[in-house]
Amino acid sequence: MQQHRHYLNPKSNHYLLVPLLWVVLYACAPKKQAESQSTDYLGQETPDTIPQIFGKDIISVDGRFDMGFAMSPNGKSMVFGVADETDPKGTCLYLMNNIDGIWSSPDKSFLPDNVNTFFPMFGPSGDKLYFAKSNGSDTDLWSAEFVDHSAIAPQPLDSIFNSKSREAGHGKAKSGAFYFTSNRDDQNQCCGDIYYAKPTSGRYTNIQRSAMLSSEADEESLFLSPNGRYIIVQAWKGEFQSKHDLYISYRTIHGSWTPLKRLNDHINGKEIEQRPFVSPDHKFLFFSRMKILRENGRDSYDSDIYWVSTKSVFAPYIYNPQIEASVTFNKKFELHFPSDLFKDIDNQELTYQLTLKDGSEIPEWITFDSDKLMLSGTWATKEPLGFKLTARDGSGNSNIFKFDLNQSNLETQD
């Protein structure tokens, strides 16, 4: 097959519009045996912790720029994007449906006026399809009713969401919270931030910028879990000699987001990773990876869609860090950590280890019960002690909660 390349100028405004076509090949690891599952992933053997190309020759086609993937909540429909910089009609969304156990061929006729469309995402109930659409200068967010395996009556979202700038990655939770990326507050139109709106009496009346999820870097796409417990963000932070990478943040007991944490080096390489999506069963992360080649003095871009097990994506996170305790010299004490101090998306059982902050063992006069999450003993020093509590899940992912204990008070540290 003849290779079809896409040439982009990263400094142009067009670079931030529809063909922000980013993502690339990565060497596939040996495949593991397929696990039992209710969702049919095109009959493929499921990946482990090394990303693999998804739907090779069907969804990810050699020489074609494939990016952005979403699956309906019932697992019976898949939508993915194809981009073609030389032909606007070639930049569109394709749909595949599983009917009676058989996947249909990719079809772009399911969506009226399916031109310059990208960023597909189903609503949490599966009855709406959200997507972005470019008119050549602006990019807006649209939605369509998804009925009988087709998108009906597409229309732009309310003007509160669509500004005169570029709106792109988006996700909606069951609560109605809607998150999306926008360049609306950037005069140079180079860097997007993350915005959100929450409905009041069924209406969206106020858009806010998420300070915790936004930065001076370019946040370009996102995946919001249907239950709103976590969000995966694509951002260009210039870390680890990479370009756009994928980061994850979790919702705490107070409704705030934890600091964004970069996913591992198997997922984030030196290429461009973007357009995250997590399968309805939370077992697989899908993303686009763009490979950049140098040809005839110009950069060429090629993209495929990858998938990987979420075993190394989800890690324990600090959900409820509020603890109260006091200690007195030469007196007995007990410190009970909240049972939900840590949470994990895909692991109910966590193991715990308590050490001093420098990693050394705790003093003999302190006892830690990892089953009850309780610290007790007779306080035998007038000097403060710093501790770190490590939570680890069944896949070996871990996180640390640090805190100090001194006489008559306890001070927590993030």
Side-chain angles (χ1 to χ4, degrees):
M1 174 183 290
Q2 183 178 0
Q3 291 282 318
H4 182 70
R5 302 294 183 190
H6 301 266
Y7 296 91
L8 303 177
N9 178 3
K11 296 183 180 179
S12 71
N13 189 50
H14 184 54
Y15 168 72
L16 286 170
L17 294 173
V18 47
L20 215 167
L21 322 162
W22 307 30
V23 172
V24 70
L25 276 103
Y26 194 84
C28 295
K31 296 180 179 179
K32 298 186 73 175
Q33 291 297 318
E35 50 189 68
S36 60
Q37 54 193 17
S38 57
T39 302
D40 176 10
Y41 295 97
L42 300 177
Q44 299 175 103
E45 294 181 354
T46 58
D48 196 42
T49 56
I50 305 296
Q52 300 177 17
I53 291 179
F54 180 74
K56 187 171 178 59
D57 300 326
I58 301 173
I59 290 178
S60 296
V61 177
D62 286 344
R64 192 177 70 179
F65 205 105
D66 309 299
M67 66 171 186
F69 173 88
M71 179 178 289
S72 61
N74 65 6
K76 299 299 184 182
S77 296
M78 298 179 182
V79 180
F80 64 95
V82 172
D84 190 329
E85 191 175 2
T86 63
D87 179 11
K89 293 183 178 180
T91 297
C92 59
L93 300 176
Y94 284 81
L95 172 71
M96 298 176 64
N97 294 308
N98 190 310
I99 301 175
D100 296 329
I102 299 175
W103 283 103
S104 63
S105 298
D107 173 36
K108 63 179 181 180
S109 66
F110 80 102
L111 176 65
D113 194 24
N114 190 5
V115 177
N116 270 339
T117 53
F118 43 102
F119 284 113
M121 195 68 69
F122 287 94
S125 299
D127 58 355
K128 282 187 178 293
L129 176 69
Y130 295 89
F131 58 96
K133 184 177 177 64
S134 174
N135 62 12
S137 58
D138 296 330
T139 300
D140 290 334
L141 299 177
W142 288 56
S143 70
E145 303 295 324
F146 192 73
V147 181
D148 294 332
H149 308 297
S150 293
I152 301 172
Q155 58 183 345
L157 297 188
D158 189 85
S159 58
I160 193 173
F161 293 102
N162 290 320
S163 68
K164 294 181 179 180
S165 299
R166 178 180 190 267
E167 277 70 42
H170 49 278
K172 186 178 183 181
K174 293 178 180 178
S175 66
F178 193 91
Y179 281 70
F180 64 101
T181 62
S182 175
N183 294 50
R184 62 185 59 200
D185 290 335
D186 185 74
Q187 295 181 352
N188 298 320
Q189 291 293 289
C190 71
C191 297
D193 285 328
I194 295 177
Y195 295 80
Y196 67 95
K198 296 180 179 180
T200 301
S201 299
R203 297 186 59 190
Y204 296 96
T205 59
N206 184 33
I207 297 291
Q208 299 184 60
R209 177 181 177 272
S210 174
M212 180 60 73
L213 299 176
S214 302
S215 69
E216 295 181 358
D218 178 29
E219 285 80 33
E220 200 265 346
S221 67
L222 59 85
F223 171 80
L224 177 68
S225 67
N227 58 17
R229 288 181 59 187
Y230 66 90
I231 189 170
I232 300 177
V233 174
Q234 168 198 346
W236 189 335
K237 296 180 180 291
E239 299 176 332
F240 306 96
Q241 294 77 50
S242 61
K243 298 184 184 297
H244 276 84
D245 283 339
L246 300 180
Y247 295 76
I248 192 167
S249 174
Y250 301 93
R251 181 82 73 177
T252 72
I253 191 173
H254 301 296
S256 60
W257 292 103
T258 63
L260 286 168
K261 183 177 181 180
R262 182 178 181 267
L263 299 185
N264 66 53
D265 289 340
H266 291 309
I267 295 171
N268 289 314
K270 293 183 178 180
E271 304 86 3
I272 296 171
E273 283 72 35
Q274 61 176 2
R275 314 290 168 90
F277 174 80
V278 176
S279 59
D281 57 13
H282 299 286
K283 291 182 178 180
F284 303 104
L285 168 67
F286 294 81
F287 63 95
S288 304
R289 174 179 281 160
M290 187 174 69
K291 185 177 183 180
I292 307 175
L293 302 173
R294 191 72 176 174
E295 295 181 348
N296 300 321
R298 303 174 69 186
D299 286 339
S300 66
Y301 298 76
D302 198 9
S303 177
D304 287 301
I305 294 170
Y306 282 72
W307 65 326
V308 67
S309 170
T310 53
K311 289 193 300 184
S312 58
V313 172
F314 299 132
Y317 62 96
I318 299 174
Y319 177 73
N320 181 15
Q322 301 301 315
I323 54 179
E324 298 180 2
S326 62
V327 294
T328 303
F329 177 67
N330 212 28
K331 296 288 185 179
K332 292 183 177 181
F333 74 96
E334 286 187 355
L335 169 58
H336 296 264
F337 295 98
S339 60
D340 58 356
L341 171 59
F342 289 95
K343 282 194 173 184
D344 194 292
I345 298 299
D346 59 348
N347 279 262
Q348 297 296 323
E349 299 294 332
L350 302 176
T351 58
Y352 300 91
Q353 180 185 22
L354 183 72
T355 66
L356 297 181
K357 281 186 178 179
D358 62 5
S360 59
E361 294 184 359
I362 59 177
E364 293 183 354
W365 46 269
I366 295 179
T367 299
F368 175 61
D369 188 326
S370 60
D371 293 327
K372 296 181 179 180
L373 276 182
M374 184 179 73
L375 190 64
S376 61
T378 299
W379 195 255
T381 177
K382 295 182 178 180
E383 299 297 324
L385 288 179
F387 300 86
K388 64 178 182 180
L389 178 63
T390 301
R392 183 168 282 103
D393 65 19
S395 299
N397 306 301
S398 63
N399 201 353
I400 294 173
F401 175 72
K402 295 180 180 181
F403 61 96
D404 293 329
L405 274 178
N406 54 35
Q407 287 198 73
S408 299
N409 76 305
L410 177 146
E411 297 176 356
T412 63
Q413 297 182 350
D414 293 333

